[in-house]
Amino acid sequence: MEATSKCRGYKKGVLFPTSTSMHGCYASKNISISQPNGEAKAICMGCKEECHCLMPSRTTLHRCSVCLKVSNSTLGPHGLKKECAICRPVKKIGAKLLKLGDLGSSKKNGNLLSGSLLPPSMPSSSLALPSTSRYNKRAVLCGVSYRKRKFRLKGTINDISNMKELLIKNFKFPKECIRVLTEQEQNANLIPTKHNILESLNWLVKDCQAGDSLLFYFSGHGLQQPDFKEDEIDGFDETLCPVDFLREGMIIDNEINSTIVWPLKEGVTLHAIVDACHSGTILDLLFVYKHESGIWEDNKPPSKEPIRKHTSGGMAICLSACEDSQTAADSSVFGGKGMNGVLTYLFTKTIREYPGITYGGLLEKMHDEIKKINRSRCNNRILQHIFNRRIAQDPLLSSSEKFDVSTTMFKL
């Protein structure tokens, strides 16, 4: 059986320069001060590891091609480095993707090699999107395979087919109101580029009215990057990786929030189902439901300056593949043809088997299924360690408002 993890881990004690006098630790995610010149020692206040690095003697300002932030960079013998020190490690993600035995490939990573991820046969000119009538149910389904890349995903097309069938058969979504973005589409506007995904998200919420039920679904790689606006509790922004993220950059949770959460009017409900690594708070919603304790935790921004994260009266609910600190997987462990995202497969399976299930019941069933899989795959701890057969992800529910998950029926 095959599986793919969707993200990379952090190395304990490895520091990366954020300027000539500051360092950020990948292990504890803390920022610490180092000596300003020569051989610098920095002890991270989080993991207590001492690291040595050579501080740059000459710096200049530049804009990073990945995160678009302006920062200092070393001017070495070969000229200015093109990406910032914060994003540079991300360039190596694909080469370091974990091979997880039964669990297949990492869904939320990416080998940030230079160049375009667009299919070579795809014309650069745009094609018009088909016109659609006004429906009170609309959906955007986005599946990114990153084909012909080392970090490609094999289960996203199956995920899209599974989700589309569920929407049509179980929730009565008209086919005409479902916009699908994959690399297999003939229409250039439906390739899951950063521009096309954001355009589709704008289409999803445009002129929304009371009674509308909207859905955003994403299956692909997800990453994290340092939070520069100080609006994240853990100090990291969550991101989604479009097919052209090497060139155009990632889609940050702040942008997703402002695009599809802010416009929600009273009486409008948005669901987001995100099968990606580090996707726990990808919509930056105000409340996170903790399955083990059964309580809603406050996820409001810790920054001193007011930052908008709420709707315009509507309701936004997000079901994520895992917590922000976790990775998600594509797997062939479920049998059948090909691979599937773990969240997508368990979500669609549970909804089909238990129509009318509550949000709490849905979470409970998915957590139970993951536990059963882990118990059945390998009881021998030594073999389990060798083959990495555990599914180490906990589906997470977040919302713009608190509600009773034990009595509220899941519906789209």
Side-chain angles (χ1 to χ4, degrees):
M1 294 186 183
E2 189 179 1
T4 304
S5 171
K6 300 176 178 180
C7 194
R8 69 184 282 256
Y10 296 103
K11 293 184 178 180
K12 185 176 181 181
V14 176
L15 303 182
F16 64 95
T18 57
S19 71
T20 58
S21 60
M22 303 290 289
H23 286 83
C25 179
Y26 278 129
S28 65
K29 304 177 184 177
N30 287 331
I31 303 295
S32 58
I33 299 176
S34 175
Q35 297 177 9
N37 295 308
E39 172 101 3
K41 290 184 179 180
I43 299 178
C44 174
M45 300 305 294
C47 63
K48 307 300 181 183
E49 291 287 330
E50 179 179 291
C51 296
H52 300 260
C53 60
L54 187 64
M55 301 299 293
S57 57
R58 297 178 58 198
T59 60
T60 184
L61 292 176
H62 78 286
R63 185 180 297 276
C64 175
S65 62
V66 179
C67 68
L68 303 181
K69 300 296 180 181
V70 176
S71 60
N72 293 333
S73 176
T74 304
L75 187 61
H78 302 291
L80 183 65
K81 295 179 179 179
K82 295 182 179 180
E83 68 279 341
C84 69
I86 293 174
C87 293
R88 191 178 305 121
V90 182
K91 300 285 275 185
K92 301 179 181 179
I93 289 175
K96 295 183 178 179
L97 281 178
L98 301 177
K99 296 181 179 179
L100 297 184
D102 283 15
L103 297 184
S105 48
S106 173
K107 203 174 193 178
K108 309 338 177 188
N109 254 345
N111 177 3
L112 300 188
L113 303 174
S114 60
S116 172
L117 286 172
L118 292 175
S121 60
M122 181 56 60
S124 58
S125 60
S126 298
L127 301 176
L129 288 168
S131 61
T132 57
S133 302
R134 166 73 190 174
Y135 290 100
N136 68 339
K137 288 190 174 187
R138 295 192 299 281
V140 171
L141 309 183
C142 180
V144 193
S145 301
Y146 316 93
R147 57 187 184 182
K148 298 183 180 180
R149 292 283 177 170
K150 292 180 180 179
F151 51 90
R152 68 185 182 279
L153 295 172
K154 300 178 181 179
T156 53
I157 300 302
N158 289 335
D159 289 343
I160 291 292
S161 299
N162 208 358
M163 279 298 303
K164 184 176 181 180
E165 181 182 6
L166 185 78
L167 293 182
I168 295 172
K169 291 186 177 180
N170 292 70
F171 295 105
K172 309 304 178 184
F173 273 64
K175 293 181 181 179
E176 305 85 63
C177 75
I178 301 175
R179 182 179 289 191
V180 175
L181 289 83
T182 71
E183 289 143 272
Q184 295 183 343
E185 303 301 319
Q186 297 300 313
N187 188 330
N189 288 318
L190 296 178
I191 301 298
T193 63
K194 182 176 181 178
H195 175 268
N196 288 346
I197 292 175
L198 292 176
E199 282 293 313
S200 293
L201 292 181
N202 281 309
W203 166 83
L204 181 65
V205 299
K206 183 180 180 181
D207 300 327
C208 58
Q209 302 174 8
D212 283 356
S213 176
L214 313 176
L215 175 76
F216 169 52
Y217 171 79
F218 181 88
S219 178
H221 285 305
L223 293 169
Q224 287 182 306
Q225 70 175 34
D227 166 33
F228 297 100
K229 294 186 177 180
E230 298 183 345
D231 62 345
E232 296 283 349
I233 294 176
D234 63 355
F236 277 75
D237 283 319
E238 285 65 51
T239 70
L240 299 180
C241 298
V243 69
D244 59 348
F245 75 112
L246 301 180
R247 184 180 66 241
E248 300 299 330
M250 298 171 284
I251 302 175
I252 303 174
D253 50 9
N254 296 335
E255 190 170 15
I256 298 172
N257 181 275
S258 62
T259 302
I260 60 176
V261 175
W262 291 11
L264 299 178
K265 302 175 183 177
E266 185 174 356
V268 178
T269 302
L270 166 76
H271 283 84
I273 301 172
V274 183
D275 201 342
C277 286
H278 307 301
S279 56
T281 59
I282 190 64
L283 258 65
D284 268 355
L285 301 179
L286 297 178
F287 302 98
V288 174
Y289 182 75
K290 293 300 182 180
H291 170 257
E292 293 184 357
S293 61
I295 62 173
W296 288 97
E297 290 191 353
D298 196 332
N299 190 47
K300 293 179 181 178
S303 57
K304 297 179 181 179
E305 298 181 4
I307 297 178
R308 176 174 176 175
K309 296 291 184 180
H310 57 81
T311 69
S312 297
M315 182 80 163
I317 300 172
C318 181
L319 179 62
S320 305
C322 58
E323 297 185 6
D324 288 340
S325 61
Q326 293 179 322
T327 62
D330 273 341
S331 178
S332 60
V333 71
F334 306 109
K337 297 181 180 180
M339 299 180 69
N340 302 91
V342 171
L343 172 76
T344 304
Y345 182 87
L346 294 181
F347 169 75
T348 54
K349 176 178 181 288
T350 304
I351 293 296
R352 290 186 177 106
E353 292 180 354
Y354 302 93
I357 194 170
T358 63
Y359 286 88
L362 176 61
L363 272 181
E364 188 71 29
K365 290 291 182 183
M366 290 193 295
H367 278 87
D368 286 347
E369 286 292 330
I370 291 176
K371 290 178 182 177
K372 289 179 183 177
I373 293 170
N374 287 334
R375 285 196 299 265
S376 64
R377 294 314 302 156
C378 186
N379 293 323
N380 187 303
R381 292 186 178 181
I382 297 177
L383 292 178
Q384 189 178 81
H385 176 74
I386 294 174
F387 295 108
N388 292 307
R389 291 182 173 178
R390 282 182 53 81
I391 295 178
Q393 62 184 87
D394 299 307
L396 190 70
L397 182 70
S398 58
S399 176
S400 59
E401 302 174 18
K402 297 179 182 179
F403 63 92
D404 188 347
V405 300
S406 63
T407 60
T408 306
M409 184 178 70
F410 182 90
K411 60 180 180 180
L412 298 175

Tab-separated table of all heavy atoms in Angstrom, residues 1-4 101-105 330-340 342:
chain	number	residue	atom	x	y	z
A	1	MET	N	0.837	-1.197	0.000
A	1	MET	CA	0.000	0.000	0.000
A	1	MET	C	0.872	1.246	0.000
A	1	MET	O	1.996	1.229	0.445
A	1	MET	CB	-0.917	0.000	1.224
A	1	MET	CG	-1.933	-1.123	1.205
A	1	MET	SD	-3.091	-0.969	2.564
A	1	MET	CE	-4.045	-2.457	2.285
A	2	GLU	N	0.278	2.315	-0.469
A	2	GLU	CA	1.066	3.528	-0.649
A	2	GLU	C	0.451	4.668	0.140
A	2	GLU	O	-0.742	4.710	0.382
A	2	GLU	CB	1.081	3.881	-2.137
A	2	GLU	CG	2.040	4.987	-2.482
A	2	GLU	CD	2.026	5.265	-3.970
A	2	GLU	OE1	1.264	4.597	-4.673
A	2	GLU	OE2	2.773	6.160	-4.381
A	3	ALA	N	1.301	5.589	0.544
A	3	ALA	CA	0.805	6.766	1.251
A	3	ALA	C	1.765	7.913	1.075
A	3	ALA	O	2.938	7.722	0.832
A	3	ALA	CB	0.620	6.454	2.725
A	4	THR	N	1.261	9.115	1.207
A	4	THR	CA	2.091	10.301	1.043
A	4	THR	C	1.775	11.303	2.130
A	4	THR	O	0.637	11.705	2.282
A	4	THR	CB	1.832	10.961	-0.323
A	4	THR	OG1	2.045	10.001	-1.340
A	4	THR	CG2	2.758	12.136	-0.528
A	101	GLY	N	5.539	4.769	4.042
A	101	GLY	CA	5.085	3.383	3.920
A	101	GLY	C	3.661	3.302	3.448
A	101	GLY	O	3.318	3.738	2.371
A	102	ASP	N	2.768	2.761	4.287
A	102	ASP	CA	1.371	2.576	3.934
A	102	ASP	C	0.654	3.886	3.672
A	102	ASP	O	-0.364	3.914	3.025
A	102	ASP	CB	0.623	1.860	5.067
A	102	ASP	CG	0.928	0.381	5.064
A	102	ASP	OD1	1.890	0.005	4.397
A	102	ASP	OD2	0.213	-0.356	5.744
A	103	LEU	N	1.146	4.983	4.246
A	103	LEU	CA	0.380	6.207	4.215
A	103	LEU	C	0.666	7.070	2.993
A	103	LEU	O	0.117	8.135	2.841
A	103	LEU	CB	0.629	7.012	5.497
A	103	LEU	CG	0.164	6.286	6.740
A	103	LEU	CD1	0.348	7.176	7.936
A	103	LEU	CD2	-1.277	5.853	6.608
A	104	GLY	N	1.558	6.682	2.126
A	104	GLY	CA	1.693	7.351	0.841
A	104	GLY	C	2.447	8.646	0.874
A	104	GLY	O	3.475	8.766	1.471
A	105	SER	N	1.927	9.672	0.185
A	105	SER	CA	2.692	10.885	-0.012
A	105	SER	C	2.146	12.042	0.790
A	105	SER	O	0.991	12.107	1.105
A	105	SER	CB	2.672	11.253	-1.499
A	105	SER	OG	1.389	11.203	-2.008
A	330	ASP	N	-2.328	11.508	2.115
A	330	ASP	CA	-3.024	10.727	1.099
A	330	ASP	C	-2.695	9.271	1.382
A	330	ASP	O	-1.555	8.953	1.726
A	330	ASP	CB	-2.534	11.076	-0.308
A	330	ASP	CG	-3.290	12.243	-0.899
A	330	ASP	OD1	-4.390	12.544	-0.420
A	330	ASP	OD2	-2.762	12.847	-1.846
A	331	SER	N	-3.650	8.370	1.208
A	331	SER	CA	-3.379	6.984	1.549
A	331	SER	C	-4.156	6.029	0.660
A	331	SER	O	-5.227	6.346	0.161
A	331	SER	CB	-3.736	6.727	3.016
A	331	SER	OG	-3.514	5.380	3.360
A	332	SER	N	-3.586	4.836	0.487
A	332	SER	CA	-4.277	3.747	-0.205
A	332	SER	C	-4.764	2.705	0.790
A	332	SER	O	-5.181	1.615	0.414
A	332	SER	CB	-3.326	3.089	-1.219
A	332	SER	OG	-2.190	2.559	-0.555
A	333	VAL	N	-4.727	3.039	2.070
A	333	VAL	CA	-5.077	2.102	3.122
A	333	VAL	C	-6.556	1.723	3.088
A	333	VAL	O	-6.956	0.689	3.622
A	333	VAL	CB	-4.711	2.694	4.505
A	333	VAL	CG1	-5.631	3.830	4.865
A	333	VAL	CG2	-4.736	1.613	5.579
A	334	PHE	N	-7.385	2.546	2.434
A	334	PHE	CA	-8.818	2.294	2.421
A	334	PHE	C	-9.232	1.269	1.380
A	334	PHE	O	-10.394	0.870	1.321
A	334	PHE	CB	-9.568	3.604	2.158
A	334	PHE	CG	-9.190	4.699	3.111
A	334	PHE	CD1	-8.435	5.775	2.679
A	334	PHE	CD2	-9.570	4.643	4.443
A	334	PHE	CE1	-8.080	6.784	3.554
A	334	PHE	CE2	-9.217	5.644	5.324
A	334	PHE	CZ	-8.461	6.714	4.881
A	335	GLY	N	-8.308	0.832	0.530
A	335	GLY	CA	-8.646	-0.116	-0.521
A	335	GLY	C	-9.264	0.608	-1.709
A	335	GLY	O	-9.287	1.832	-1.790
A	336	GLY	N	-9.802	-0.168	-2.637
A	336	GLY	CA	-10.367	0.448	-3.828
A	336	GLY	C	-9.294	0.875	-4.801
A	336	GLY	O	-8.134	0.474	-4.697
A	337	LYS	N	-9.659	1.729	-5.734
A	337	LYS	CA	-8.730	2.162	-6.762
A	337	LYS	C	-8.022	3.450	-6.350
A	337	LYS	O	-8.651	4.424	-5.984
A	337	LYS	CB	-9.481	2.390	-8.081
A	337	LYS	CG	-10.117	1.127	-8.648
A	337	LYS	CD	-10.826	1.431	-9.958
A	337	LYS	CE	-11.460	0.165	-10.542
A	337	LYS	NZ	-12.165	0.431	-11.808
A	338	GLY	N	-6.703	3.423	-6.433
A	338	GLY	CA	-5.924	4.624	-6.204
A	338	GLY	C	-5.877	5.064	-4.756
A	338	GLY	O	-6.186	4.315	-3.832
A	339	MET	N	-5.481	6.327	-4.577
A	339	MET	CA	-5.296	6.910	-3.253
A	339	MET	C	-6.373	7.938	-2.967
A	339	MET	O	-7.030	8.451	-3.878
A	339	MET	CB	-3.905	7.536	-3.160
A	339	MET	CG	-2.777	6.552	-3.361
A	339	MET	SD	-1.154	7.330	-3.255
A	339	MET	CE	-1.107	7.733	-1.513
A	340	ASN	N	-6.531	8.241	-1.686
A	340	ASN	CA	-7.510	9.225	-1.239
A	340	ASN	C	-6.931	10.025	-0.081
A	340	ASN	O	-6.131	9.517	0.695
A	340	ASN	CB	-8.800	8.549	-0.764
A	340	ASN	CG	-9.448	7.683	-1.811
A	340	ASN	OD1	-9.175	6.488	-1.891
A	340	ASN	ND2	-10.302	8.274	-2.618
A	342	VAL	N	-7.095	11.277	3.537
A	342	VAL	CA	-7.696	10.631	4.709
A	342	VAL	C	-8.952	11.375	5.152
A	342	VAL	O	-10.006	10.777	5.387
A	342	VAL	CB	-6.675	10.550	5.857
A	342	VAL	CG1	-7.346	10.084	7.154
A	342	VAL	CG2	-5.538	9.601	5.490
